[in-house]
Amino acid sequence: MLKPAAIAAALLVALATPGLADDAHDDAAHAGEAQHQEAGRPHAGEAHEEAGHHDHDEEEADHLAEMNGVRALHAWTPATDGTTALVFVTIENRSNRDIRLEGAESDMAESAELVGFQVKDGEPAYEALPFVPVKPGRELVLQPNGLAIRLTGLGRPLSKGDEIEVEFHFDTGHVPMHVQVEAANATNHSHAGHQH
């Protein structure tokens, strides 16, 4: 049974996240991403440090998906040889309406569900959540010890450098994207090889 505390924690995360930056916050402004993800705040006003980004659009295409004003950025998961994995991603609501992240699916797993982190009887645990709302102009960061998509029944181990496909489910539709597999002890998306 879903615990009210888990729902309340998820809602606080979604509703308290600061608003998105204006159009100056472009696809490539990801310097300092680690601090951004840990703080759960958008990284506004950051500029490129170098001029030439000819391959940027191709590189970013694998790390960005968008539909109806909803953007999913830099999805990743730690490597694992087990049958369960947690997927993390940043969701931006650039539409003019409330949206709800309701879960996901992947051909790599038997099931996928939205979960929220909590301490239960002194032990850390992820509890299933029905959905998390995201207001217009807001950002929702799925990150370790917070919200995540839990994949269970993985068909094979996930090794660093792999990519898997995950389709994020919103009440407005589904957003498929590539999920980068990072090191088993990773705490954020590495951006290795990106020209940011």
Side-chain angles (χ1 to χ4, degrees):
M1 174 130 181
L2 189 64
K3 302 280 191 272
I7 297 175
L11 292 177
L12 283 174
V13 169
L15 299 176
T17 305
L20 295 172
D22 59 20
D23 292 339
H25 174 111
D26 66 11
D27 297 347
H30 295 296
E33 182 74 6
Q35 293 86 354
H36 155 65
Q37 287 184 342
E38 290 172 8
R41 293 189 300 271
H43 41 285
E46 296 170 0
H48 292 300
E49 295 179 3
E50 53 185 291
H53 296 283
H54 304 295
D55 298 327
H56 173 73
D57 290 342
E58 291 177 17
E59 291 173 357
E60 198 69 19
D62 282 346
H63 303 276
L64 166 69
E66 185 168 7
M67 182 208 62
N68 297 333
V70 178
R71 290 170 28 128
L73 297 161
H74 300 296
W76 67 279
T77 184
T80 181
D81 56 4
T83 59
T84 302
L86 294 173
V87 174
F88 307 107
V89 66
T90 297
I91 304 296
E92 295 178 350
N93 183 1
R94 295 190 169 203
S95 74
N96 59 4
R97 56 159 289 181
D98 290 1
I99 63 167
R100 300 192 317 187
L101 175 62
E102 298 179 336
E105 66 181 281
S106 174
D107 291 341
M108 283 293 302
E110 292 176 5
S111 66
E113 62 183 342
L114 178 63
V115 293
F117 179 85
Q118 66 176 340
V119 177
K120 185 177 180 181
D121 299 325
E123 296 293 325
Y126 281 91
E127 295 287 325
L129 298 171
F131 65 88
V132 176
V134 189
K135 295 285 187 185
R138 298 280 181 160
E139 175 178 89
L140 176 67
V141 180
L142 278 62
Q143 60 189 349
N145 299 326
L147 299 172
I149 297 293
R150 180 169 57 198
L151 305 179
T152 56
L154 291 175
R156 64 171 173 83
L158 302 180
S159 302
K160 182 180 178 182
D162 288 351
E163 277 195 349
I164 62 173
E165 293 279 339
V166 171
E167 192 170 281
F168 296 97
H169 294 183
F170 297 89
D171 60 331
T172 54
H174 295 181
V175 178
M177 75 178 301
H178 299 280
V179 175
Q180 180 70 38
V181 180
E182 302 287 359
N185 61 351
T187 58
N188 57 39
H189 178 62
S190 69
H191 295 269
H194 299 321
Q195 297 183 31
H196 292 305

